Amino acid sequence: MHYKRKELATDRVFSLVVNSFLFISLVIVLYPLLYIVACSFSEPQAVMAKKVWLFPVNFDLVSYKAVFTNKQIGTGYMNSLYYMVTGTVVSVLLTMLLAYPLSRKEFYGRSVVTKLILFTMLFTGGTIPLYLVVRNLGIYDSRWAIILPNAITVWNVIIARTFLQENISDELYEAAEIDGCSDIRFLISFVFPLSGAIVAVLALFYAVGQWNKYFDALLYLQKQALYPLQIVLRNILIINRNTPSMTVDVEAAIRAQGLSETIRYAVIVVASVPLLVIYPFVQRFFVKGVMIGSVKG
């Protein structure tokens, strides 16, 4: 009985330490986000005077007016949505088409192919060879230069292959084969419908990657009409360049010293909204996808 009480007290202390650590970590992660949102809705002078800590000071939407009246930001937003949607569809389709044959025991030489794929995860040709490949393929300065070069992630292929090995039984494949079902028909009629969880996880991974991608656009795009939102955001945050179109409809606010500062925060908020909207719908699949291949007791 004394041992049980001692163990219970130890567990309480452990839980207290863990919860305290998690709470501190939550505050460290959450406060910058709240600060950015508060600054984006605050008056520019209040932001420059460092009066904003947690809540907006002198609530003002002038920065959002500047953001949504800027044609460059609007074009970048639509481009990023296009890259995210199209790139996610292409990446998920190619990943599943590669993972499925690797999951089948009947695929001759799959171990060799798997090793070759893993080799590309450890060693790459580098930026310059990839740049030359993009130019020689004729997709330089086009939308496909953002979607195709990194359409497949090796780690996602391994996750998808493991999922298919564990959830698509050999008996199901054999029964379909007896009925004369081809591999393509089996993939479309059985594999995809039974792989909703892994498809959702892959879609989340690829969508986040496509939305946050800016280095590829920096290398392969010259036309500003094709720039994703992240390039526009980079120009505002790093280069600190505000185009005349950004403030043409809020000319009175240009005189405010902190307008460019609040615009930075507003753009960050606007750029984060799509992923915050998508994540709750795929959260339940995310946990299952992370647990794929883990040791279960």
Side-chain angles (χ1 to χ4, degrees):
M1 190 72 172
H2 177 71
Y3 174 75
K4 290 183 178 180
R5 289 180 180 176
K6 183 177 180 181
E7 184 179 12
L8 182 60
T10 304
D11 292 340
R12 288 178 178 176
V13 172
F14 177 78
S15 298
L16 179 62
V17 173
V18 172
N19 291 333
S20 301
F21 175 77
L22 293 176
F23 178 76
I24 294 173
S25 302
L26 176 63
V27 172
I28 293 175
V29 173
L30 188 60
Y31 177 73
L33 302 179
L34 296 177
Y35 177 78
I36 291 174
V37 175
C39 287
S40 68
F41 286 104
S42 298
E43 191 179 36
Q45 293 89 334
V47 175
M48 295 301 297
K50 308 297 182 183
K51 295 181 180 179
V52 181
W53 289 93
L54 187 60
F55 299 103
V57 177
N58 299 330
F59 186 85
D60 197 344
L61 294 176
V62 64
S63 58
Y64 285 96
K65 291 179 181 178
V67 167
F68 289 112
T69 55
N70 179 17
K71 295 182 179 180
Q72 187 178 0
I73 291 180
T75 302
Y77 207 93
M78 296 305 298
N79 286 336
S80 289
L81 286 176
Y82 176 85
Y83 295 141
M84 183 179 70
V85 175
T86 307
T88 299
V89 172
V90 172
S91 296
V92 170
L93 182 61
L94 293 179
T95 299
M96 292 297 292
L97 290 176
L98 179 58
Y100 170 68
L102 294 178
S103 67
R104 303 307 312 167
K105 298 178 181 179
E106 299 81 8
F107 178 46
Y108 180 77
R110 67 169 185 164
S111 60
V112 177
V113 176
T114 301
K115 291 178 181 178
L116 292 175
I117 294 175
L118 291 175
F119 180 83
T120 64
M121 185 171 65
L122 302 175
F123 305 97
T124 61
T127 304
I128 295 177
L130 182 59
Y131 177 83
L132 295 176
V133 169
V134 171
R135 287 194 67 93
N136 292 332
L137 287 176
I139 60 176
Y140 180 78
D141 203 20
S142 69
R143 297 186 185 276
W144 291 110
I146 307 298
I147 297 173
L148 291 182
N150 296 301
I152 297 179
T153 302
V154 177
W155 178 249
N156 290 339
V157 173
I158 301 303
I159 293 178
R161 185 202 64 175
T162 305
F163 178 89
L164 295 177
Q165 286 178 335
E166 294 181 355
N167 292 273
I168 307 299
S169 64
D170 294 335
E171 291 77 11
L172 179 62
Y173 177 78
E174 292 172 357
E177 190 178 27
I178 292 175
D179 290 337
C181 183
S182 64
D183 287 326
I184 300 298
R185 178 66 182 276
F186 183 77
L187 180 66
I188 297 175
S189 301
F190 294 95
V191 175
F192 277 109
L194 296 175
S195 303
I198 191 59
V199 168
V201 172
L202 294 176
L204 176 62
F205 287 164
Y206 283 121
V208 172
Q210 287 288 349
W211 183 260
N212 293 327
K213 186 182 296 184
Y214 79 95
F215 187 67
D216 287 353
L218 203 61
L219 290 177
Y220 307 133
L221 296 182
Q222 290 184 340
K223 300 176 184 176
Q224 291 189 3
L226 299 179
Y227 280 175
L229 181 62
Q230 303 307 326
I231 294 294
V232 180
L233 179 62
R234 171 186 174 272
N235 293 338
I236 296 175
L237 295 180
I238 300 179
I239 303 177
N240 193 22
R241 183 182 64 193
N242 292 331
T243 58
S245 61
M246 179 175 294
T247 54
V248 66
D249 295 330
V250 286
E251 190 170 348
I254 299 179
R255 302 184 184 92
Q257 183 180 1
L259 179 59
S260 61
E261 192 72 17
T262 55
I263 287 177
R264 292 181 180 184
Y265 295 120
V267 171
I268 293 175
V269 173
V270 171
S272 304
V273 167
L275 296 183
L276 295 178
V277 173
I278 293 174
Y279 184 77
F281 295 99
V282 296
Q283 182 180 9
R284 62 192 184 98
F285 299 112
F286 182 76
V287 176
K288 184 174 181 180
V290 171
M291 295 298 292
I292 292 174
S294 61
V295 178
K296 305 173 181 64

